[in-house]
Amino acid sequence: PLTEVIFQYKGTIDKYVGDMIVAFWNDPIDDSEHASNAVKTALMMQQKIKELAPVFSQQGLHDIGIRIGINTGSMHVGDMGSKYRKAYTVLGDAVNLGSRLEGVNKIYGTKILVSEATRDMCSDVIFRFVDCIYVKGKDKPTNIYEPLYLLSEKTADLDAELKEYQKAKELYDADNWQACEEVFAKLVEKYPDVKLYAIYLKRVAQYKVEPPAKDWDRGQRLTAK
């Protein structure tokens, strides 16, 4: 079922590795909407998992969850290998970042994370800024985002939550720890299932006691892949 969703949005299956599906877009057929299609695929895959839950339950199986990481950039695409065995696949730094983001979901309690490069190419998807991070193996920080829903699915309640979070984010960027803590406390109370708000609330409480350096780049260093 998940492979069907990938094909529906013009994705190319690279390989299956254990319980992981590796896919890419914009090759072998050009797709000007490749970033948007990749993100829509991720959202629809999460929806498909919800639809499959009753089926698993009827068979006495456990529910499952999936994490997805997406990045957009230049990479090597084509037949890789030797005369003994070849595979049509993708290689490169841009591929590695997508893989890293999949794992970073575990830290923030998210299900889908995308890079800023991907976010910037999607005008029909609503995103929530997650954090500025140093992923393992990188020497420069990168902004990461969580796609929440399609622009066409926007509701007043969802918009209100994002505006409240944006207010907290602006206070965070201004190093206004006291006011920021108050807004995040309200967010945690109102949306207890969103782990991201709890992470920021804890972080801001620490910054009140030990403020970061004036010239910090806001990057959080992660040790996990």
Side-chain angles (χ1 to χ4, degrees):
L2 298 186
T3 297
E4 185 176 7
V5 174
I6 293 171
F7 283 170
Q8 180 183 349
Y9 288 95
K10 304 180 181 180
T12 299
I13 298 293
D14 184 323
K15 62 177 74 74
Y16 300 97
V17 185
D19 62 353
M20 176 175 67
I21 305 174
V22 182
F24 55 88
W25 277 255
N26 202 34
D27 195 84
I29 299 174
D30 291 345
D31 177 12
S32 61
E33 300 295 322
H34 55 87
S36 179
N37 279 328
V39 174
K40 288 176 182 176
T41 297
L43 291 169
M44 293 307 106
M45 288 173 77
Q46 295 292 352
Q47 180 60 39
K48 179 62 67 174
I49 289 295
K50 292 180 182 179
E51 295 173 4
L52 289 172
V55 178
F56 294 151
S57 179
Q58 291 172 5
Q59 298 178 16
L61 302 173
H62 293 290
D63 287 342
I64 66 171
I66 59 173
R67 299 186 303 266
I68 302 171
I70 302 174
N71 182 38
T72 302
S74 298
M75 59 193 68
H76 297 286
V77 187
D79 286 329
M80 312 285 181
S82 68
K83 66 179 182 179
Y84 299 103
R85 186 179 187 277
K86 291 183 179 180
Y88 192 81
T89 187
V90 289
L91 294 173
D93 192 58
V95 182
N96 295 337
L97 179 55
S99 176
R100 291 283 190 266
L101 293 181
E102 180 274 321
V104 173
N105 280 290
K106 291 181 285 186
I107 297 173
Y108 293 95
T110 50
K111 295 181 179 179
I112 311 169
L113 285 176
V114 310
S115 66
E116 188 167 26
T118 299
R119 191 285 306 261
D120 289 347
M121 295 184 68
C122 300
S123 60
D124 52 356
V125 180
I126 300 296
F127 293 87
R128 171 166 50 204
F129 174 85
V130 173
D131 211 348
C132 176
I133 64 170
Y134 284 90
V135 295
K136 191 171 183 180
K138 303 291 182 181
D139 57 5
K140 292 183 180 180
T142 182
N143 290 328
I144 58 175
Y145 299 82
E146 178 187 14
L148 299 175
Y149 47 86
L150 300 179
L151 184 61
S152 60
E153 298 172 347
K154 182 179 179 179
T155 66
D157 288 343
L158 293 171
D159 189 49
E161 178 185 351
L162 280 182
K163 285 182 178 178
E164 195 170 356
Y165 172 61
Q166 184 60 36
K167 178 182 177 181
K169 177 65 170 49
E170 290 172 357
L171 292 168
Y172 178 85
D173 289 340
D175 296 350
N176 189 340
W177 309 127
Q178 179 62 45
C180 183
E181 183 180 40
E182 293 172 2
V183 178
F184 271 118
K186 292 178 182 178
L187 282 167
V188 169
E189 182 180 3
K190 194 170 183 179
Y191 308 101
D193 294 333
V194 182
K195 184 179 178 180
L196 178 65
Y197 301 154
I199 289 174
Y200 270 103
L201 180 60
K202 181 179 179 180
R203 184 186 300 173
V204 169
Q206 293 174 338
Y207 287 163
K208 280 178 59 181
V209 179
E210 299 180 17
K214 294 289 185 180
D215 60 346
W216 72 309
D217 59 11
R218 317 198 87 78
Q220 302 293 317
R221 295 191 177 276
L222 308 180
T223 57
K225 291 185 178 181

